[in-house]
């Protein structure tokens, strides 16, 4: 039996979504000043319990409700919302369990915003024991558009026959790829609903008067302001914030939330700009339901984005990846040099690893085939490679290029399977170019990148996912090598500068693919920065480390021996 998906009213689903995927929705209670429950005619049919219709206030449409909200002049007249209680959650789950078979997955509003999660969790625990059914309750860490996106994707997975465990893994992945930006055009409605603390009320009134508004996004499961701007600059700044978090020409899905038609017009103009910059698979406009309207009033518009990543890498994306890598290495080459104590303490690793890719894309065109583009890059890198790290990178790229050239048609873009095999050949190429390859250096960092990319491919065939997981493993290998064969690095407790250079090279790829803004990657890079700073601080620059460059033989028509500096 397919897994049953349950959510709450905050997800703002339409009736068509609920019916299409068989989703059950737990309603919130919205009450007016007289204590009557607020309902909208034509709302999704999510009210299954017995009710006293005499205690319900109906509005003819959402626009009618928005007009009512606009007419309110003080907090006492404003409607209020209440999370569904334990009893209501229990009855809803019980009804579903009696009617439906199979496991149940509840995806709910962030527990930091409502008691819904806790109440459903308590109810699910008792229902699960009573009926011997598996019920998992998941905190979406979001609300409104992002929550709805998460629920729809989970429902698609359930409809395709995925198990509950597979759906939960899918949700974990999607949560990392969803983000949300929304300007709060008027703070008065948040004040009325109690979402703004009393001690900040005066500041929100001043902001409303001056036309200064915050743009919010979800961080640590709660909406937080990411900037404050003048109202006239909203669209420009929203576009900037969106572009920061999406990869170069990445495929995405958009859910554009609005309150009234005026906000929809603004979003239509914004979506037209986004369509020119990104590959948009689907756009949907969703008018905010009464629950959202109660808290935000008639001034809401928001953009919720699901990043779908890359199923292939084309020439334009490849060019951008190498340009960003060059930019990254140029910015941090002095940092790389500062931990350069192996094979010689000569502070040139940053320059050496930057040199092969400097200007490597100058003679490329987006019209070039991928095979021709990667071949030109590898030849340029090979001709400029110098020093241990520079030659290692050039040999790595040469091995990748040779495999791609022999296994990929000229009219095809790079697919994940070919990419993994090419990485393997790149690693073999660079190891074979050293007469005495050492673990714990740039070589082992490259090897781990390829190995973990292969492992990631088994779980998901998508480039962002593969490169993110492989990068994370490579950083761990750099900081804590499984085997450290270089005595001076082991004794000094310092990472290999060439390995750090390769990590920074990969960071350029992360920037291109929009992975750098991922929460896990940001934490990892923060830890990396701290570790390298500590290593730099611990080095005694006046100490002399005697050593010789490892002999490097480039197999082919050229044989090169690096000399003692």
């Amino acid at each position: 039996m397919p897994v049953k998906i349950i959510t709450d009213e905050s997800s703002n689903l339409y009736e068509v979504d609920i019916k299409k995927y068989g989703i059950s929705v737990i309603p919130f209670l919205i009450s007016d000043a007289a204590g009557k429950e607020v309902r909208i005619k034509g709302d999704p049919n999510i009210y299954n319990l017995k009710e006293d219709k005499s205690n319900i206030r109906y509005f003819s449409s959402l626009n009618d409700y928005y007009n009512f909200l606009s007419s309110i002049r003080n907090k006492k007249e404003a409607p209020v919302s209440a999370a569904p209680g334990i009893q209501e959650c229990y009855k809803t789950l019980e009804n579903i369990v009696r009617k439906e078979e199979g496991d149940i997955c509840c995806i709910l509003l962030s527990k930091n915003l409502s008691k819904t999660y806790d109440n459903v969790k308590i109810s699910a625990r008792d229902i699960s024991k009573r009926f011997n059914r598996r019920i998992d309750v998941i905190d979406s860490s979001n609300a409104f558009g992002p929550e709805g996106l998460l629920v729809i994707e989970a429902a698609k997975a359930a409809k395709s026959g995925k198990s509950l465990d597979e759906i939960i893994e899918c949700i974990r992945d999607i949560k990392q790829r969803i983000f949300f930006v929304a300007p709060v055009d008027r703070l008065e409605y948040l004040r009325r609903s109690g979402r703004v603390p009393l001690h900040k009320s005066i500041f929100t009134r001043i902001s409303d008067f001056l036309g200064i508004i915050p743009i919010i996004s979800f961080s640590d499961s709660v909406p937080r302001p990411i900037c404050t701007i003048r109202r006239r600059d909203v669209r420009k700044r929203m576009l900037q914030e969106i572009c920061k978090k999406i990869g170069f020409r990445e495929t995405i899905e958009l859910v554009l939330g609005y309150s009234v038609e005026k906000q929809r017009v603004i979003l239509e103009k914004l979506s037209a700009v986004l369509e020119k910059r990104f590959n948009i698979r689907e756009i949907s406009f969703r008018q905010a339901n009464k629950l959202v309207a109660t808290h935000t009033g008639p001034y809401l518009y928001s953009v919720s984005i699901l990043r779908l990543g890359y199923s292939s890498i084309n020439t334009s994306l490849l060019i951008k990846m190498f340009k960003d890598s060059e930019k990254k290495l140029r910015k941090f080459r002095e940092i790389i040099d500062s931990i350069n104590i192996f094979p010689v303490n000569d502070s040139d690793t940053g320059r050496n690893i930057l040199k092969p890719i400097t200007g490597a894309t100058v003679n490329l065109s987006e019209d070039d085939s991928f095979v021709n583009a990667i071949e030109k890059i590898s030849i340029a890198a090979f001709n400029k490679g110098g020093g241990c790290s520079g030659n290692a990178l050039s040999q790595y790229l040469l091995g990748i290029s040779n495999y791609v050239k022999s296994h990929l048609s000229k009219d095809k873009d790079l697919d994940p399977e070919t990419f993994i095999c090419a990485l393997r050949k790149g690693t073999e190429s660079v190891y074979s170019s050293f007469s005495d390859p050492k673990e714990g250096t740039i070589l082992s960092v490259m090897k781990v990148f390829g190995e973990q990319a292969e492992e990631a491919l088994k779980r998901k065939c998508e480039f962002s996912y593969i490169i993110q997981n492989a990068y994370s493993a490579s950083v761990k290998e750099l900081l804590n090598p499984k085997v450290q064969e270089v005595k001076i690095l082991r004794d000094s407790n310092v990472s290999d500068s060439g390995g750090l250079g390769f990590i920074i090279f990969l960071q350029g790829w992360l920037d291109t693919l929009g992975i750098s803004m991922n929460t896990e990657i940001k934490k990892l890079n923060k830890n990396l920065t701290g570790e390298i700073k500590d290593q730099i601080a611990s080095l005694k620059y006046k100490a002399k480390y005697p050593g010789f460059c490892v002999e490097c033989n480039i197999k082919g028509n050229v044989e090169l021996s690096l000399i003692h500096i």
Side-chain angles (χ1 to χ4, degrees):
M1 294 298 295
V3 175
K4 176 71 176 179
I5 303 297
I6 300 175
T7 187
D8 57 63
E9 196 173 357
S10 173
S11 58
N12 200 53
L13 297 183
Y14 282 2
E15 181 76 19
V16 63
D17 302 314
I18 294 170
K19 288 182 176 179
K20 182 177 180 179
Y21 297 107
I23 300 169
S24 292
V25 181
I26 301 173
F28 277 66
L29 176 65
I30 312 294
S31 303
D32 65 8
K36 289 190 173 185
E37 183 180 350
V38 171
R39 296 272 184 94
I40 311 293
K41 291 181 179 179
D43 260 354
N45 184 25
I46 57 177
Y47 307 95
N48 298 316
L49 305 179
K50 291 182 179 179
E51 54 199 21
D52 179 9
K53 292 187 178 181
S54 64
N55 199 37
I56 296 175
R57 179 177 181 179
Y58 281 100
F59 288 86
S60 61
S61 65
L62 265 174
N63 288 332
D64 185 25
Y65 185 57
Y66 279 117
N67 290 334
F68 163 69
L69 292 174
S70 300
S71 68
I72 295 173
R73 291 293 173 263
N74 60 67
K75 184 176 179 179
K76 292 181 180 179
E77 299 174 6
V80 295
S81 67
I86 293 177
Q87 183 180 10
E88 185 174 351
C89 293
Y90 189 95
K91 287 182 178 179
T92 301
L93 286 177
E94 184 179 25
N95 288 340
I96 292 169
V97 168
R98 290 184 182 278
K99 294 176 183 178
E100 308 270 355
E101 296 183 4
D103 296 331
I104 295 174
C105 181
C106 303
I107 306 168
L108 305 169
L109 170 68
S110 170
K111 63 182 177 182
N112 291 327
L113 297 176
S114 169
K115 287 289 290 180
T116 307
Y117 174 86
D118 292 333
N119 292 345
V120 173
K121 187 88 172 175
I122 293 169
S123 304
R125 183 183 59 206
D126 293 343
I127 293 287
S128 181
K129 289 180 181 179
R130 181 180 166 191
F131 292 91
N132 193 27
R133 294 277 291 277
R134 181 179 173 184
I135 305 175
D136 278 36
V137 182
I138 297 172
D139 178 4
S140 72
S141 304
N142 284 286
F144 190 39
E147 182 188 357
L149 269 171
L150 194 63
V151 171
I152 293 295
E153 291 302 310
K156 288 178 182 178
K159 193 172 183 178
S160 69
K162 291 188 181 296
S163 68
L164 180 52
D165 289 329
E166 290 173 324
I167 291 171
I168 291 171
E169 184 60 34
C170 175
I171 291 170
R172 289 197 188 102
D173 174 44
I174 293 171
K175 282 172 74 172
Q176 297 180 36
R177 297 188 284 113
I178 283 179
F179 69 94
F180 166 86
V181 288
V184 183
D185 201 76
R186 294 285 192 280
L187 292 166
E188 59 182 289
Y189 292 93
L190 291 175
R191 286 197 304 270
R192 292 173 184 173
S193 66
R195 298 297 174 182
V196 175
L198 288 175
H199 69 281
K200 294 184 179 180
S201 179
I202 184 63
F203 298 107
T204 62
R205 293 176 190 275
I206 294 172
S207 295
D208 283 348
F209 177 75
L210 296 175
I212 299 173
I213 64 175
I215 293 180
I216 63 170
S217 184
F218 276 92
S219 176
D220 298 325
S221 303
V222 294
R224 300 182 190 278
I226 52 179
C227 63
T228 52
I229 55 172
R230 296 299 298 265
R231 188 172 285 115
R232 64 173 178 264
D233 298 324
V234 168
R235 272 181 291 174
K236 179 181 177 182
R237 190 54 184 268
M238 281 185 75
L239 184 61
Q240 290 174 350
E241 293 299 328
I242 290 168
C243 291
K244 281 182 187 177
K245 297 187 177 183
I246 306 177
F248 179 71
R249 298 180 184 174
E250 183 176 4
T251 302
I252 59 174
E253 283 187 13
L254 288 177
V255 172
L256 305 173
Y258 66 96
S259 51
V260 294
E261 197 61 29
K262 180 181 177 181
Q263 277 70 43
R264 178 174 178 133
V265 171
I266 294 173
L267 289 173
E268 286 173 348
K269 293 178 181 178
L270 181 63
S271 67
V273 177
L274 292 174
E275 283 186 277
K276 294 178 182 178
R277 298 196 181 196
F278 304 103
N279 179 20
I280 300 180
R281 189 175 75 177
E282 184 179 337
I283 300 179
S284 61
F285 289 84
R286 292 178 181 267
Q287 189 173 24
N289 63 21
K290 67 179 185 298
L291 173 64
V292 179
T294 300
H295 295 286
T296 62
Y299 299 101
L300 171 76
Y301 55 103
S302 67
V303 180
S304 303
I305 296 176
L306 171 60
R307 300 178 52 209
L308 299 173
Y310 303 85
S311 59
S312 64
I313 294 179
N314 59 23
T315 300
S316 61
L317 188 58
L318 179 73
I319 292 171
K320 186 71 165 62
M321 289 167 71
F322 273 85
K323 282 183 176 179
D324 285 346
S325 290
E326 181 183 345
K327 188 188 302 182
K328 209 80 173 180
L329 284 169
R330 197 173 297 281
K331 180 178 180 180
F332 293 107
R333 64 180 174 179
E334 291 182 4
I335 300 296
I336 299 169
D337 289 341
S338 64
I339 62 167
N340 177 200
I341 62 172
F342 172 80
V344 177
N345 183 15
D346 54 4
S347 300
D348 67 351
T349 300
R351 181 187 64 196
N352 288 341
I353 201 165
L354 169 63
K355 193 175 179 182
I357 64 168
T358 299
T361 61
V362 169
N363 297 321
L364 293 182
S365 164
E366 291 188 3
D367 295 330
D368 287 334
S369 69
F370 184 89
V371 172
N372 287 341
I374 190 65
E375 184 179 17
K376 288 178 182 179
I377 289 172
S378 67
I379 290 172
F382 181 82
N383 290 334
K384 293 181 180 180
C388 283
S389 57
N391 279 295
L393 182 59
S394 63
Q395 279 295 298
Y396 187 69
L397 296 176
L398 191 63
I400 290 172
S401 173
N402 287 339
Y403 183 87
V404 170
K405 185 178 179 180
S406 61
H407 290 79
L408 192 67
S409 302
K410 283 199 171 184
D411 60 340
K412 299 289 185 182
D413 294 331
L414 183 67
D415 58 90
E417 292 84 357
T418 304
F419 175 66
I420 298 304
C421 294
L423 291 180
R424 192 184 304 128
K425 290 300 179 183
T427 303
E428 291 174 5
S429 172
V430 70
Y431 265 83
S432 64
S433 69
F434 283 83
S435 59
D436 184 22
K438 299 290 186 183
E439 295 299 305
T441 64
I442 185 175
L443 305 183
S444 59
V445 177
M446 288 174 167
K447 180 173 69 174
V448 167
F449 181 77
E451 290 173 346
Q452 292 306 309
E454 189 169 357
E455 288 300 313
L457 176 64
K458 296 175 183 177
R459 298 189 294 273
K460 187 175 180 181
C461 188
E462 189 274 311
F463 274 103
S464 294
Y465 181 82
I466 292 168
I467 290 174
Q468 177 181 325
N469 281 271
Y471 171 79
S472 299
S474 300
V475 171
K476 293 173 184 175
E477 169 64 19
L478 172 72
L479 298 178
N480 298 290
K482 294 176 183 176
V483 178
Q484 180 51 274
E485 294 182 338
V486 181
K487 186 176 186 300
I488 193 171
L489 295 178
R490 185 170 62 246
D491 293 346
S492 303
N493 196 27
V494 172
S495 298
D496 177 55
S497 57
L500 176 61
F502 182 67
I503 290 296
I504 292 173
F505 168 81
L506 292 176
Q507 286 180 356
W509 291 11
L510 301 190
D511 288 349
T512 304
L513 302 178
I515 304 171
S516 298
M517 298 302 291
N518 180 284
T519 303
E520 291 183 6
I521 293 298
K522 287 168 74 173
K523 288 179 181 177
L524 182 67
N525 285 341
K526 184 177 180 180
N527 179 58
L528 172 64
T529 301
E531 291 281 350
I532 297 301
K533 282 183 177 178
D534 290 344
Q535 291 180 19
I536 293 171
S538 69
L539 287 172
K540 298 178 180 178
Y541 291 102
K542 292 182 180 180
K544 294 182 179 180
Y545 297 95
F548 293 84
C549 285
V550 178
E551 181 186 7
C552 175
N553 297 313
I554 299 176
K555 296 197 172 180
N557 296 324
V558 181
E559 180 172 328
L560 176 68
S561 295
L562 300 179
I563 61 173
H564 173 55
I565 299 175

